[in-house]
Structure formats: structure tokens, C-alpha cells
């Protein structure tokens, strides 16, 4: 399995590594800063450099056996197996993903309903809720979301076993996305600590360290998506 450096430090922008596999249009480094597409969050982009070469990475994907495949732009030359490489993220894009992702966790707090889908981009995000009727008092919900952000709550993570998750099914808010499991363990993301805790749920994505980093959020369209679904779009104010 690829060592996911972002699990221990989501703010790590570059890292050295060694190429251990090449194929399927991409290559695998044994340890990476590139987040692979999953859970509604896009894969990272950036660059990889090695002695005598360089390529742009347009995406990172989950490969077999837990490997993360770095996918260069079409026509780019990949490094050879054994090459020592330097990986560098498109940091501004990644950081916006982190801000949006944490904001979506808080959105699930102020709209405490089952989540049927979601997506993240560098400018906006959305969650789909199991909500047959219209969202009542949109302005109030948006205000409560921004109030949570302004509390500058700590965001942290921890790991529990599959069995512990099965014993606590209420931790899972998503109806359509399987909780991220890795070698019998599940990663939880916690917002707030102790009496200030507002959220705890399984998640494999990257997040900011404190909610204050998100900045102001405003709602975009609230759309009806099927008989029981409402899509709530949110946008970064800056």
C-alpha cells in the first residue's frame, strides 16, 4: 500500500519518494502527498521531478492493493521504476479542497439529516440530503453554519477498528459512500473537543486544522434532486 503522507500532515506540500510501479498511464510512488480521488473529493494535481525529467500530474487515483497512481498529463513521460522523485502539490487548489471539505462536515451538523451524496471542487461543494420538502429558513441555516466556522474549532482525526464502527452505526452520516476502511481500521474526523465537539464521522479526506481557516461561506442554489433529495450548494466567500 502507498503511504499516505497527507493522513499525518494535510499541510505537507512536497515530499521525496521512490517510484515502485509504472503502468496504466501512470506511476506509483511508495509514499505520496497526492490525495487520490475518493469520497467526493478530487484527486490532487501538481508536479513530479526526477533527475533529467519532470511531468505535470493531473490527477491521483486509487489503484489495486491500496496503491495511489499518479496520472500525468497526456503524452508526458513517466519516471522509471526506482527513480528518486520530488512531488509537489498545487497547494492553493488542495487547500481550497480542505476548506470546502471541512465546511461540508459542518453543513451536516446544521442540517442533521442523512446525506445521500456530495462533491467538492476548489470553488464550491455540495451535499445532497434525504429531505422530501424544501429547506426551511435558508438564511438561518447559513448563519448557523458561519457561526460554527467562526468558533475556530479544532479539527483532528483518530482511528478505530471496523468492529468499533459497527458498534456505533450512528457515526455514519452518508447513505451512498462507504466509510473509508484500511487494514481493518476506520479513520474518524472530529470537529471540536470535549464539550465543544460538534461532529465526529468517518472520513478519508483532507481537512483544515481549525474551522476558522474556512472563512465565510455562502449558500448557492438549493435544488430538488428526486422525490426525497435536496442538494445544498455552498461557496467560499474568498
Amino acid at each position: 500500500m502507498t503511504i499516505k503522507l497527507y493522513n499525518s500532515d494535510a499541510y505537507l506540500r512536497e515530499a521525496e519518494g521512490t517510484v515502485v510501479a509504472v503502468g496504466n498511464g501512470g506511476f506509483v510512488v511508495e509514499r505520496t502527498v497526492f490525495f487520490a480521488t475518493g469520497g467526493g473529493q478530487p484527486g490532487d494535481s501538481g508536479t513530479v521531478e526526477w533527475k533529467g525529467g519532470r511531468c505535470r500530474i493531473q490527477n491521483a487515483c486509487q489503484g489495486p492493493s491500496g496503491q495511489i497512481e499518479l496520472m500525468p498529463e497526456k503524452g508526458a513521460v513517466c519516471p522509471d521504476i526506482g527513480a528518486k522523485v520530488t512531488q509537489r502539490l498545487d497547494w492553493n487548489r488542495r487547500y481550497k479542497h480542505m476548506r470546502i471539505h471541512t465546511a461540508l462536515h459542518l453543513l451536516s451538523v446544521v442540517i442533521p439529516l442523512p446525506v445521500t451524496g456530495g462533491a467538492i471542487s476548489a470553488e464550491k461543494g455540495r451535499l445532497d440530503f434525504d429531505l422530501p420538502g424544501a429547506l426551511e429558513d435558508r438564511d438561518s441555516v447559513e448563519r448557523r453554519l458561519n457561526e460554527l466556522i467562526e468558533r475556530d474549532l479544532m479539527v483532528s482525526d483518530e482511528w478505530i477498528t471496523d468492529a468499533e464502527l459497527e458498534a456505533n452505526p450512528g457515526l455514519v452520516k452518508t447513505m451512498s459512500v462507504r466509510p473509508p476502511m484500511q487494514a481493518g481500521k476506520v479513520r474518524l474526523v472530529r470537529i471540536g473537543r470535549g464539550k465543544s465537539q460538534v461532529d465526529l464521522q468517518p472520513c478519508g479526506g483532507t481537512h483544515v486544522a481549525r474551522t476558522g481557516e474556512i472563512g465565510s461561506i455562502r449558500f448557492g442554489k438549493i435544488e430538488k434532486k428526486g422525490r426525497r433529495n435536496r442538494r445544498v450548494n455552498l461557496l467560499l466567500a474568498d
Side-chain angles (χ1 to χ4, degrees), residues 166-195:
E166 290 174 2
N168 293 276
L171 291 173
V172 181
K173 296 185 177 184
T174 55
M175 299 171 65
S176 60
V177 179
R178 185 175 173 80
M181 296 184 179
Q182 179 177 311
K185 297 188 298 180
V186 181
R187 179 175 179 254
L188 300 180
V189 172
R190 183 190 303 272
I191 302 180
R193 301 292 297 183
K195 293 182 179 179

Side-chain angles (χ1 to χ4, degrees), residues 139-224:
D139 291 345
S140 175
V141 176
E142 182 181 288
R143 182 172 62 254
R144 285 188 284 124
L145 174 59
N146 279 295
E147 287 171 353
L148 279 178
I149 291 169
E150 290 167 4
R151 287 174 61 183
D152 197 28
L153 299 166
M154 178 187 296
V155 182
S156 58
D157 65 359
E158 61 192 69
W159 294 82
I160 62 173
T161 65
D162 291 355
E164 288 173 310
L165 181 64
E166 290 174 2
N168 293 276
L171 291 173
V172 181
K173 296 185 177 184
T174 55
M175 299 171 65
S176 60
V177 179
R178 185 175 173 80
M181 296 184 179
Q182 179 177 311
K185 297 188 298 180
V186 181
R187 179 175 179 254
L188 300 180
V189 172
R190 183 190 303 272
I191 302 180
R193 301 292 297 183
K195 293 182 179 179
S196 70
Q197 179 177 311
V198 297
D199 191 49
L200 178 66
Q201 62 177 292
C203 182
T206 57
H207 293 269
V208 292
R210 305 194 69 91
T211 62
E213 295 180 49
I214 298 169
S216 296
I217 288 290
R218 62 183 177 85
F219 282 176
K221 291 182 178 180
I222 298 179
E223 306 169 273
K224 182 177 181 180

Side-chain angles (χ1 to χ4, degrees), residues 1-211:
M1 295 180 65
T2 303
I3 298 171
K4 302 172 181 178
L5 297 173
Y6 51 80
N7 273 344
S8 57
D9 184 1
Y11 291 81
L12 190 62
R13 305 185 188 194
E14 66 177 70
E16 308 297 318
T18 303
V19 177
V20 294
V22 179
N24 300 318
F27 59 95
V28 176
V29 182
E30 99 285 8
R31 57 201 298 268
T32 188
V33 293
F34 286 87
F35 176 83
T37 302
Q41 181 172 331
D44 285 325
S45 56
T47 60
V48 170
E49 297 182 7
W50 62 96
K51 186 175 181 180
R54 180 181 187 275
C55 67
R56 281 281 309 165
I57 301 300
Q58 64 178 358
N59 195 13
C61 305
Q62 291 284 351
S65 304
Q67 294 178 327
I68 293 179
E69 297 183 2
L70 307 186
M71 309 303 293
E73 293 179 335
K74 187 175 181 179
V77 176
C78 292
D80 295 328
I81 293 176
K84 306 296 183 181
V85 300
T86 300
Q87 309 162 76
R88 294 189 176 91
L89 291 179
D90 287 338
W91 171 248
N92 288 340
R93 179 173 180 265
R94 152 70 87 76
Y95 188 53
K96 287 181 178 180
H97 290 166
M98 291 163 60
R99 292 166 63 197
I100 288 286
H101 202 152
T102 307
L104 291 177
H105 278 223
L106 292 178
L107 181 62
S108 74
V109 173
V110 297
I111 305 178
L113 296 170
V115 175
T116 59
I120 295 164
S121 74
E123 304 301 333
K124 64 181 181 179
R126 54 94 171 167
L127 286 181
D128 299 344
F129 293 94
D130 183 13
L131 176 62
L135 180 67
E136 296 182 5
D137 202 350
R138 164 193 175 126
D139 291 345
S140 175
V141 176
E142 182 181 288
R143 182 172 62 254
R144 285 188 284 124
L145 174 59
N146 279 295
E147 287 171 353
L148 279 178
I149 291 169
E150 290 167 4
R151 287 174 61 183
D152 197 28
L153 299 166
M154 178 187 296
V155 182
S156 58
D157 65 359
E158 61 192 69
W159 294 82
I160 62 173
T161 65
D162 291 355
E164 288 173 310
L165 181 64
E166 290 174 2
N168 293 276
L171 291 173
V172 181
K173 296 185 177 184
T174 55
M175 299 171 65
S176 60
V177 179
R178 185 175 173 80
M181 296 184 179
Q182 179 177 311
K185 297 188 298 180
V186 181
R187 179 175 179 254
L188 300 180
V189 172
R190 183 190 303 272
I191 302 180
R193 301 292 297 183
K195 293 182 179 179
S196 70
Q197 179 177 311
V198 297
D199 191 49
L200 178 66
Q201 62 177 292
C203 182
T206 57
H207 293 269
V208 292
R210 305 194 69 91
T211 62

